Amino acid sequence: MTLCVATHQEADDVMQEVCLVLWRKFDEYEPGTNFVAWGRAIAFRVAREHARRTRRHRGIGLDDRVLAKLAAVHQGVGELLELRQELLQDCVAKLPQGDRDLIRRSYGGEESVVEIAKESRRPLASLYTRLKRLRGRLFDCVNRGLGRAEGRR
């Protein structure tokens, strides 16, 4: 949700209100449906109401049409990120087991590359080089997948 507010405190207040509404309406969420989309719709309504109150009280704020366009762009970006994440998981699954393990250990947040190098008795530079090559392969794989996904539209 993109929302233009005057202060950090105001942004915190709006986020707090979104969280309260989500909590109150949680029983209305239908399991198995897209939770993120449901949450975004509620956040959009809360943000739109905040913008209306701000316009009324201060004479400033975003027009509902502008807010709707910002929300649509944000949703599109969110959908693209979800697709990229799915493609990345598919691409990682295609890697040899050793490379998958290196990726998991390096980016899983549990170990540093230095620790992995010491444990595996491999030069640190070679692990960094391997990770750089793997990132490149994964980047290319995801982009190819995006190209295929674009072609299906």
Side-chain angles (χ1 to χ4, degrees), residues 40 71-84:
R40 278 189 190 133
V73 167
H74 188 268
Q75 181 176 349
V77 168
E79 290 171 0
L80 176 61
L81 288 175
E82 286 177 26
L83 175 59
R84 289 182 70 87

Side-chain angles (χ1 to χ4, degrees), residues 15-66:
M15 278 304 302
Q16 183 70 25
E17 188 176 349
V18 167
C19 290
L20 288 171
V21 172
L22 287 170
W23 185 255
R24 280 194 305 261
K25 292 185 172 280
F26 187 73
D27 289 341
E28 297 174 20
Y29 170 70
E30 295 178 32
T33 61
N34 187 332
F35 181 80
V36 174
W38 175 79
R40 278 189 190 133
I42 289 174
F44 174 73
R45 287 193 294 275
V46 170
R48 184 179 56 205
E49 184 54 35
H50 172 79
R52 286 179 180 158
R53 282 193 312 264
T54 301
R55 279 196 310 271
R56 227 179 5 256
H57 296 312
R58 295 188 213 153
I60 59 171
L62 294 176
D63 179 88
D64 284 352
R65 291 184 315 261
V66 172

